[in-house]
Amino acid sequence: MRGTGATIFPVARAMATEKKILIVEDEGGLATTLKDRLRKEGYQVNVAKDGLSGFALAAAEPFDLIVLDVMLPGQSGLTVCQKLRERGSSVPILMLTARRQLTDKVAGLKTGADDYLSKPFHMAELLARVEALIRRGQPATAASRHQFGTVCVDLRRTEVSRDGRAVAVSAKEFQLLRYFVEHRGATLSRDELLREVWGYDVTPSSRTVDVHVAWLRQKLEKDPRNPQFILTVVGLGYKFAD
Ligand code: CA
C-alpha cells in the first residue's frame, strides 16, 4: 500500500483542487465556446440549456461558480438565482445580461448575483471575472461555512440550511448556534452561554438558554428529543458534537 500511495495521492489532490463551474446558457454556440475555453483553463465544466435543469443541477451538487444567462427558456436566470439564494446557496454567480438591458443588471444583483457581464463580451474579461469570483468566494467560504450532517451554517452570510433548504432562525438563535459551532466539542455551561451570547442585557436565567437550545434542536435535529448535534451534558450544560 505504501508503494501505491505515492502515486495515488497527487492525483487525488489534483482532483480536489479542480474547480467546478456550471454554465446555464441556451445559445448552443456560446455555451460550447465557454465550456471549451473554461476546460482549457483547467476547470471542470457542466452545461445546462435552460433554467429548470440549471437549477436542478446547481441544487444537486456543489459548484464553485455558476455562469448564468438571464434570458433562458422556461425559467429566467433571475428566477434561478433567486431560488438558489432562497435555499441558502452562497455559490458565486456571474450573470450574463443582454447588452441593452440595464434593468437586468440591477435585477440580477438584487436577486443575489455577485457580478454580471453584458453580451457580447471578450473571453479574456469573462475569464478574469471567473477567476476573481472563485478566488474571492474561496477563503471566506472555507472559513465561514460549517457542515454537520445535512445542516450547513454560513457564519459570514448568516445563513442556515438543512437538507439544502434555508432554515429561518432568529438573531439570538443564530448567535447561539455560532457560539456552539465555534466551540465544537467543548462543554459550555449555561452561565457561559448567557454571558457570551446574551451579554448583560438580560436578566440571567438558565431557562433562556434551555428554551433557545430547544428551538434550535427543533429546527436542526432530525429527532429533537434525541439530538445528534447540540448535546446535553448532564449537570454541566451543553456541548456541540465534535
Ligand atoms: Ca439566452
Side-chain angles (χ1 to χ4, degrees), residues 25-27 69 71-72 119:
E25 170 61 78
D26 59 312
E27 289 166 48
D69 187 30
M71 299 283 277
L72 291 167
K119 292 179 179 180

Side-chain angles (χ1 to χ4, degrees), residues 58-177:
E61 51 184 306
F63 286 92
D64 296 288
L65 176 83
I66 298 177
V67 178
L68 183 60
D69 187 30
V70 169
M71 299 283 277
L72 291 167
Q75 201 160 64
S76 85
L78 296 176
T79 306
V80 173
C81 181
Q82 193 173 4
K83 277 166 59 188
L84 284 171
R85 294 304 185 229
E86 276 170 4
R87 73 197 294 280
S89 168
S90 57
V91 59
I93 293 177
L94 173 60
M95 224 164 228
L96 302 182
T97 64
R99 182 155 62 147
R100 300 255 183 86
Q101 283 163 307
L102 228 168
T103 47
D104 277 356
K105 297 173 189 171
V106 178
L109 294 174
K110 266 193 182 163
T111 55
D114 298 274
D115 201 359
Y116 62 84
L117 204 52
S118 302
K119 292 179 179 180
F121 49 82
H122 291 289
M123 192 57 82
E125 188 171 5
L126 179 121
L127 290 176
R129 304 268 181 118
V130 163
E131 205 180 303
L133 279 173
I134 286 183
R135 208 182 324 120
R136 203 206 300 170
Q138 250 203 326
T141 307
S144 69
R145 234 197 221 171
H146 300 266
Q147 183 92 33
F148 39 97
T150 60
V151 176
C152 181
V153 181
D154 193 318
L155 297 181
R156 189 171 56 98
R157 291 180 180 261
T158 58
E159 288 169 351
V160 183
S161 64
R162 184 182 158 197
D163 295 319
R165 291 169 183 227
V167 174
V169 292
S170 72
K172 234 8 145 196
E173 285 165 1
F174 191 85
Q175 287 162 20
L176 177 61
L177 182 59

